[in-house]
Amino acid sequence: MPTGSKDSEAPEKTRFKPVYLILGSGSIGFAIAKELREMGKDLIIVDRDSQKVETLREEAYEATEGDIAELKTLKQFVGKKLSGVLVVSSDNEANKKAIKNVRELFEPDTYCVARSSDVINKQEMEEMGANFVFMPSKIVAKSISRSLGRAESMMLGNKLSEWFKKLANRTLGIVIHDNPDPDAMASALALQKIADHHEVRSKILYHGEIGHQENKAFVNLLGIDLNRMEDHDVEKFDEIALVDCAVPGANNILEEGQHIGLIFDHHPVSEVEVNADFIDVRPNVGATSTIMTKYLQELNIEIDDVLSTALLYGIRTDTMDFKRNTESADLSAASFLYPLADHEVLEQLERPSMSIETLDVLGEAINNRQVVGSYLLSNVGTIRDRDTLPQAADYLLNLEGVFTTIVFGVTEERIFISGRSNDIRINLGEILKTAFGEGSAGGHNTAAAAQISLGVFSDIKDRQTLLRLVDEAVVKKFLNAVGVEEVDE
């Protein structure tokens, strides 16, 4: 066969290149067109203003004059391989007619983006078949809020750095809440890193016990250097920082009213006066580790694998793997930390052995449960490790028909209460404050705790009598706070 014959020629290969149809060339339509062209996309612009169309053509855009609300305007593009249609004029009614015509004329999988000025029109456009509807006012508001957030973050970072510069070559005591959890310890470790960066010597101080098996594993695997407060004279430190708690004397053994240099916390705080140089309390985020990660980023401080693992685990535990009290800031911080963390250590932290006491308390919580409607309350009796209580409360929340759990136990001096809830109708932190007092109770919507001095009950010698009276008092106070008068028989 002759070399030049048509049969010997390979079939022509065509490459599909996305074409986007932009209906409306106002400020928003033109901005989108410019962005798409910079991305190398093919596009066609339609506008009813002939002068605008002429100007677009002079700038080498493919532009067509026509009313986007009319069917005949869009018919001329039938047969083109459109990847998307963007309906972005400032006229809601014209946009709705255009969406209707797009769905009538083009392939069902043609992606349609539309612009709306308000929520009602947005809903109508979505019902008509628009895949995505945006409101410019919302976008502007979000952009401004992000800009303000960035400015605030820079301001706080600069302010914190200036505070540390004044403390150079001196000492800082970093106090975390009693019986600390991974979020508190990781946040303190981050603050210690910031202190080191500014040549400030620091120690992490705690009171109570590290009883939860995961918390013990956390300290041991990461080699975190913690110091018991009883072994140090707090007054010998040049400055004191509070981390994962915000009020001296509340869930820590500092003196009430004591001057504090720095405070970082994510728990809601009651309206109390605190004598401090620098306070950053953000109840809207899920973990103090998130706050401290942002400071490390803002100050350009290098984060090693130990610190990144600690902070990531702190965020994950306090948000229950991003299922509780989670905000975009938590996800952003976790995304930043994830590639830096030691995932072998994380895997070990997630599967620690369960202590005998934890197993015993869980058994007591199951056996002693009282269910009142959707509320479950359980008195586990005498405890040594209060960290067993939240574990039991978490476990019992899995029971069918239970939306809120309250587990409580008694030590020699106090009653400890831990609560969990997935009931969107209640704020558990506020309920525990109402039931058991502002200074000794609080938390978030879904997780909260309280502690009460035994007071007059401490004189009761018979343990069974004591536990019965404690049970009656705690159950009655909680049920009154949620508006339930009697326990169902």
Side-chain angles (χ1 to χ4, degrees):
M1 187 176 290
T3 307
S5 70
K6 287 185 178 180
D7 290 339
S8 67
E9 293 177 3
E12 184 182 354
K13 294 183 179 180
T14 58
R15 182 172 63 85
F16 171 70
K17 190 173 184 181
V19 178
Y20 292 92
L21 181 61
I22 301 175
L23 306 181
S25 68
S27 58
I28 291 176
F30 181 71
I32 294 171
K34 186 177 179 182
E35 187 70 21
L36 288 174
R37 186 161 75 170
E38 288 178 359
M39 294 168 63
K41 308 295 184 184
D42 283 349
L43 54 101
I44 305 167
I45 305 172
V46 178
D47 198 282
R48 64 183 178 184
D49 186 327
S50 59
Q51 190 172 348
K52 279 187 180 180
V53 169
E54 187 61 33
T55 301
L56 288 166
R57 288 172 177 168
E58 288 173 0
E59 294 186 25
Y61 286 97
E62 183 177 345
T64 300
E65 184 180 344
D67 187 341
I68 68 169
E70 293 184 358
L71 189 65
K72 66 178 183 180
T73 301
L74 299 188
K75 273 186 175 180
Q76 60 187 304
F77 304 109
V78 173
K80 287 187 175 291
K81 294 179 179 179
L82 297 178
S83 284
V85 179
L86 296 92
V87 188
V88 291
S89 82
S90 58
D91 186 335
N92 285 317
E93 294 307 313
N95 287 352
K96 283 189 279 189
K97 289 177 182 176
I99 294 168
K100 179 178 178 295
N101 294 334
V102 165
R103 286 301 170 225
E104 182 178 327
L105 294 172
F106 302 130
E107 295 293 329
D109 61 348
T110 302
Y111 196 78
C112 180
V113 175
R115 169 186 176 181
S116 173
S117 63
D118 55 67
V119 174
I120 294 175
N121 278 297
K122 178 178 184 293
Q123 292 173 341
E124 290 180 6
M125 290 177 189
E126 288 170 341
E127 290 170 1
M128 294 175 72
N131 299 97
F132 175 72
V133 182
F134 68 93
M135 293 187 290
S137 59
K138 289 281 187 182
I139 294 173
V140 171
K142 285 182 180 179
S143 177
I144 291 173
S145 65
R146 283 196 296 267
S147 177
L148 291 173
R150 176 61 181 157
E152 182 180 357
S153 181
M154 290 177 61
M155 179 194 70
L156 288 171
N158 291 335
K159 186 178 177 183
L160 180 63
S161 186
E162 289 301 317
W163 187 91
F164 267 111
K165 286 175 183 177
K166 295 176 183 177
L167 196 64
N169 300 312
R170 297 166 71 191
T171 59
L172 175 69
I174 302 173
V175 177
I176 50 184
H177 61 69
D178 294 347
N179 309 292
D181 60 7
D183 184 34
M185 292 184 280
S187 300
L189 200 62
L191 185 58
Q192 191 169 55
K193 182 76 171 181
I194 295 171
D196 290 344
H197 181 77
H198 290 89
E199 299 181 345
V200 172
R201 302 185 303 279
S202 64
K203 287 186 181 295
I204 302 173
L205 309 172
Y206 78 100
H207 173 67
E209 299 296 331
I210 301 174
H212 194 303
Q213 62 269 13
E214 289 184 13
N215 298 354
K216 288 178 179 176
F218 182 83
V219 174
N220 294 333
L221 286 171
L222 295 175
I224 300 174
D225 184 16
L226 301 177
N227 301 267
R228 297 191 64 85
M229 290 192 70
E230 293 83 351
D231 298 335
H232 295 272
D233 184 354
V234 174
E235 293 183 0
K236 290 188 177 179
F237 289 95
D238 294 305
E239 289 285 358
I240 294 294
L242 268 177
V243 175
D244 209 32
C245 54
V247 181
N251 205 14
N252 58 75
I253 60 170
L254 292 175
E255 292 184 9
E256 291 184 21
Q258 179 174 339
H259 171 77
I260 304 296
L262 305 170
I263 293 175
F264 302 94
D265 195 11
H266 77 109
H267 298 97
V269 180
S270 303
E271 293 296 326
V272 294
E273 292 291 332
V274 179
N275 180 16
D277 297 335
F278 183 100
I279 300 176
D280 190 351
V281 178
R282 308 186 199 180
N284 60 309
V285 302
T288 304
S289 293
T290 296
I291 300 171
M292 301 315 298
T293 299
K294 296 300 181 184
Y295 277 107
L296 290 165
Q297 291 177 287
E298 192 61 48
L299 297 173
N300 293 316
I301 295 175
E302 186 175 346
I303 307 175
D304 59 25
D305 60 343
V306 171
L307 180 53
S308 58
T309 303
L311 288 167
L312 179 58
Y313 191 68
I315 296 170
R316 287 176 55 177
T317 54
D318 252 40
T319 62
M320 286 186 66
D321 274 331
F322 311 105
K323 296 190 290 286
R324 178 181 72 194
N325 300 323
T326 306
E327 294 292 331
S328 59
D330 301 300
L331 299 173
S332 173
S335 176
F336 170 74
L337 295 165
Y338 186 85
L340 305 174
D342 186 328
H343 292 273
E344 289 185 9
V345 172
L346 282 172
E347 190 173 348
Q348 289 178 280
L349 288 171
E350 289 166 356
R351 286 196 288 268
S353 58
M354 180 178 285
S355 70
I356 296 299
E357 184 178 2
T358 300
L359 189 61
D360 289 342
V361 166
L362 185 55
E364 290 293 327
I366 294 170
N367 290 332
N368 299 336
R369 69 189 184 278
Q370 305 174 54
V371 178
V372 184
S374 63
Y375 303 109
L376 183 150
L377 300 100
S378 186
N379 180 0
V380 299
T382 303
I383 58 170
R384 293 189 305 275
D385 176 13
R386 75 174 191 176
D387 280 335
T388 58
L389 300 178
Q391 295 176 80
D394 279 328
Y395 183 84
L396 292 172
L397 197 59
N398 294 314
L399 296 180
E400 185 178 358
V402 172
F403 294 97
T404 303
T405 58
I406 300 294
V407 180
F408 54 99
V410 180
T411 64
E412 291 298 322
E413 299 177 346
R414 308 186 78 77
I415 305 167
F416 288 97
I417 303 166
S418 182
R420 295 290 185 267
S421 181
N422 54 23
D423 190 339
I424 61 174
R425 299 169 300 174
I426 68 171
N427 183 316
L428 191 58
E430 292 302 318
I431 286 173
L432 291 198
K433 283 182 183 179
T434 301
F436 306 113
E438 286 278 338
S440 59
H444 295 283
N445 293 8
T446 57
Q451 51 181 286
I452 313 166
S453 172
L454 280 176
V456 294
F457 289 158
S458 61
D459 294 331
I460 299 173
K461 303 302 180 186
D462 182 68
R463 202 66 180 169
Q464 292 305 313
T465 302
L466 170 64
L467 294 177
R468 179 174 56 80
L469 292 172
V470 165
D471 187 272
E472 291 174 357
V474 171
V475 170
K476 183 178 180 180
K477 283 178 177 290
F478 176 80
L479 293 179
N480 284 342
V482 294
V484 178
E485 293 183 1
E486 295 181 3
V487 177
D488 294 338
E489 295 295 338

